[in-house]
Amino acid sequence: MTLQDLESQIRNDREGIPSLDSLVALALAMYRDAMVPSEDNSLKKKHLDRVYGDVVDVTIDTCLDHLVNINIVDEWVNGGDWLIINERRDEIVNDEDLEVLLRDETERLVDDLEPLALADGGGDEITRREVVAEALGVGLDEIEEQLVDDEELWDWRENLETAIEAIEDEETVEKGGDYAPIRVIRNPYRYELTEWAVELAEA
C-alpha cells in the first residue's frame, strides 16, 4: 500500500502552500496509526500535538485547519458543545440537574461563611463573609440572596464561581469547607481521518 492517492489529493488541493509537506506527513501518520472512523482512535488537538508535534514543521492547528477544509480530516465533539464540570467531584455532570448542583455548592459555601454578627463586628481580621460580599458587590446580609437565582441558572453559576474564587484568592482567609465552582468549558474537538481519506489511502 503506497498511500499515493491520499498524498496526491492533499498536494493537489493545497498546492503551493508552505505547510504542504507537513499536511501530508500528518495525514499519513494518522492513517498509519489507524485514526480512522472504523477505529476508536480519534484524538483531541492537544494530544495530536503531543504525538505528532515532531512530525510537522508548522503548528498542528495550521495542519488541521487545512486538512479539515479539504475533507481529509473530520473534527467532531463527543456529546454536546459544552461540558459542565463539578470541580469538587472532578466529574463531568452534563446529565445532572444544574440547579441541584448549584444549590449543593451554594449551601456548602454559605455554611462556611462566618455568622453575620461576627463578620459585622468591626474586627481587624477580614472574614470570608466580607470577602464574598465585596466580590459580589452586596451587603454582608445579602450574599445568599445575590447568589441564588432560580430563574437565571447561568447567573447563579457565575456568582457562585466569583464568590468561591474570591475566597481562594484572598491570602488573609482560608476555606473552612469543601466546595468548588461548577465550571462550564467548551467540549474540545476530536480528530480522525474522514471515510473519503481512508478510501484514497486504500485505493
Side-chain angles (χ1 to χ4, degrees):
M1 189 177 299
T2 65
L3 305 180
Q4 185 174 2
D5 286 353
L6 176 58
E7 178 173 350
S8 295
Q9 187 67 49
I10 297 170
R11 292 193 181 279
N12 289 337
D13 281 345
R14 284 295 184 263
E15 183 178 3
I17 68 169
S19 57
L20 184 54
D21 287 342
S22 291
L23 304 188
V24 171
L26 178 59
L28 298 186
M30 290 173 69
Y31 179 76
R32 293 189 181 106
D33 289 344
M35 292 186 59
V36 299
S38 61
E39 303 288 340
D40 188 19
N41 289 334
S42 63
L43 289 178
K44 299 174 186 177
K45 187 181 297 183
K46 66 178 181 180
H47 296 140
L48 279 168
D49 192 32
R50 188 179 307 149
V51 174
Y52 299 116
D54 59 350
V55 173
V56 300
D57 296 325
V58 295
T59 66
I60 288 292
D61 269 333
T62 296
C63 293
L64 291 174
D65 285 346
H66 283 289
L67 293 172
V68 168
N69 285 336
I70 60 175
N71 196 33
I72 296 298
V73 167
D74 186 26
E75 63 178 9
W76 54 282
V77 293
N78 185 15
D81 290 338
W82 300 92
L83 298 177
I84 301 173
I85 300 173
N86 185 315
E87 200 167 86
R88 176 174 54 83
R89 290 160 41 189
D90 192 25
E91 293 179 6
I92 296 172
V93 291
N94 282 42
D95 58 343
E96 297 186 31
D97 188 317
L98 180 57
E99 182 175 347
V100 172
L101 293 167
L102 291 170
R103 193 169 300 280
D104 184 18
E105 297 306 316
T106 299
E107 289 174 355
R108 289 169 176 268
L109 166 64
V110 171
D111 286 346
D112 191 39
L113 301 181
E114 297 82 358
L116 182 60
L118 176 62
D120 201 21
D124 292 335
E125 293 185 2
I126 190 170
T127 64
R128 290 183 292 275
R129 181 175 290 273
E130 289 173 317
V131 170
V132 170
E134 182 177 353
L136 297 177
V138 298
L140 295 176
D141 60 344
E142 299 172 323
I143 291 173
E144 189 167 7
E145 180 182 351
Q146 176 68 22
L147 282 171
V148 178
D149 191 336
D150 297 331
E151 299 298 322
E152 298 293 341
L153 295 182
W154 293 111
D155 289 345
W156 183 351
R157 190 205 67 77
E158 290 179 3
N159 286 336
L160 178 64
E161 184 174 298
T162 297
I164 295 174
E165 288 183 347
I167 291 175
E168 292 175 341
D169 292 343
E170 176 54 59
E171 295 180 356
T172 60
V173 301
E174 292 184 4
K175 286 174 65 175
D178 186 16
Y179 49 87
I182 303 296
R183 304 286 190 190
V184 178
I185 64 171
R186 183 172 289 280
N187 195 354
Y189 283 117
R190 304 187 71 89
Y191 296 88
E192 65 189 4
L193 295 182
T194 62
E195 292 279 7
W196 183 58
V198 174
E199 291 174 7
L200 290 170
E202 298 179 351

